Amino acid sequence: MSETKDKIVLHWLQHSRATRILWLLEELKLPYEIKVYKRDSQYRAPQELKKIHPLGRSPLVEIIPEGTSKPVVLAETGYIIQYLLDHYNPSGELVPSSPENRELVKYYLNYTEGTLQSLLVSLLVNSKAKSSAPFGFGFLMNKLVGGINQAYYLPELLSNLSFLDAQLAKQSGGYFAGDRLSAADIILSFPLYENTFANPERASQTLGQSINLVEKFPHIHKWSEKIKDEPGYIKAGKILESKL
Ligand SMILES: N[C@@H](CCC(=O)N[C@@H](CS)C(=O)NCC(=O)O)C(=O)O
């Protein structure tokens, strides 16, 4: 357990990308509390999250440093991870030893939410648009949204997956930065493992492509198998099961 006396609260939304922060807190052996929020009937976050941060998204982390009462409120997964590593990681866990790989971790902390996740969200929004077309407009909506996806989002996503597969091929240990688990793997776990490679057949269908993701991106597939078995990832899942 870390020596810190700071109070750390994770605001975790059901079915969200916030599980990565729980995993990180576990890896860093930090003391923390979790506040669980259920999604509403529209699958949105409840309004209470806006009391913590005006944008009301999850994850949010509140830290009350020892001896103070004013919380530091952290939002944005990449920033939260960077902050926790900078302030609560004296032994350098989850940060590779080589300067090159340390920079790579910072790159992935920005890339994951800035580029990869936004492509997946756009595809998700488009698939919702297809399924919620008013009666009689389904065909038109499918054509329109399908056309946008084919022209932009799908080739972009495939190019990102090729990039990530090639990045992994350059590393000897099968992780994204260095030869052991780092914060890069933790942040990439949501878009790349949970949203895509945990169920490659379903992902392929969502992509509307007859691509065998496992064959086309073998390094990502191997990495996904490692992520699935990571003790910290498994522990985070069990902790959440007990809270729901
Ligand atoms: N870029 C933000 C995104 C946060 C975000 O959008 N979280 C989703 C959960 S996966 C959320 O809170 N959604 C609630 C809503 O849309 O109402 C991050 O990296 O943390």
Side-chain angles (χ1 to χ4, degrees):
M1 182 72 73
S2 152
E3 294 300 301
T4 186
K5 297 262 180 350
D6 295 355
K7 185 176 171 197
I8 301 174
V9 183
L10 166 63
H11 296 272
W12 180 86
L13 174 69
Q14 184 189 25
H15 305 308
S16 79
R17 65 194 87 187
T19 304
R20 293 174 291 187
I21 303 299
L22 177 57
W23 181 6
L24 180 70
L25 290 166
E26 281 295 323
E27 293 287 345
L28 296 179
K29 301 188 175 45
L30 286 167
Y32 61 87
E33 278 173 33
I34 309 178
K35 271 203 81 180
V36 170
Y37 297 80
K38 295 237 162 110
R39 288 188 180 262
D40 67 16
S41 56
Q42 303 296 310
Y43 208 66
R44 299 298 312 263
Q47 289 299 312
E48 295 119 88
L49 266 177
K50 291 205 168 142
K51 292 185 194 148
I52 313 297
H53 184 281
L55 295 180
R57 295 299 180 103
S58 175
L60 294 174
V61 168
E62 274 183 293
I63 299 180
I64 305 171
E66 188 186 3
T68 69
S69 56
K70 194 167 178 272
V72 176
V73 177
L74 307 174
E76 289 298 326
T77 305
Y79 174 61
I80 297 172
I81 294 179
Q82 190 66 64
Y83 188 99
L84 293 173
L85 293 177
D86 288 349
H87 290 77
Y88 300 102
N89 189 24
S91 58
E93 294 294 318
L94 302 173
V95 178
S97 50
S98 90
E100 204 183 314
N101 280 328
R102 277 204 296 276
E103 288 307 314
L104 205 48
V105 169
K106 289 187 201 159
Y107 168 76
Y108 287 122
L109 291 184
N110 286 278
Y111 161 84
T112 303
E113 285 291 323
T115 298
L116 184 59
Q117 189 67 48
S118 60
L119 285 172
L120 293 176
V121 169
S122 304
L123 283 163
L124 181 74
V125 169
N126 281 354
S127 81
K128 290 260 181 275
K130 277 188 194 174
S131 59
S132 54
F135 182 71
F137 286 88
F139 176 74
L140 207 60
M141 190 65 102
N142 267 336
K143 269 252 166 278
L144 184 70
V145 166
I148 296 170
N149 285 351
Q150 290 299 338
Y152 184 76
Y153 293 118
L154 290 171
E156 277 301 310
L157 181 60
L158 290 175
S159 137
N160 274 264
L161 294 178
S162 297
F163 161 67
L164 291 168
D165 203 69
Q167 288 288 98
L168 277 172
K170 285 193 239 163
Q171 296 278 352
S172 57
Y175 291 103
F176 272 100
D179 53 11
R180 61 189 166 96
L181 182 79
S182 79
D185 305 292
I186 293 184
I187 194 158
L188 279 160
S189 66
F190 182 70
L192 206 50
Y193 171 60
E194 286 189 17
N195 286 349
T196 315
F197 279 76
N199 190 341
E201 292 80 23
R202 194 191 58 200
S204 221
Q205 268 168 20
T206 313
L207 296 177
Q209 309 263 316
S210 52
I211 290 178
N212 183 328
L213 288 179
V214 172
E215 275 174 16
K216 197 164 167 62
F217 305 111
H219 298 95
I220 304 180
H221 170 61
K222 264 202 206 141
W223 169 86
S224 297
E225 294 293 300
K226 281 163 110 71
I227 293 301
K228 185 179 71 192
D229 294 337
E230 278 295 333
Y233 177 73
I234 295 171
K235 185 164 181 201
K238 289 202 172 126
I239 292 171
L240 291 170
E241 262 172 39
S242 71
K243 300 260 168 208
L244 284 170

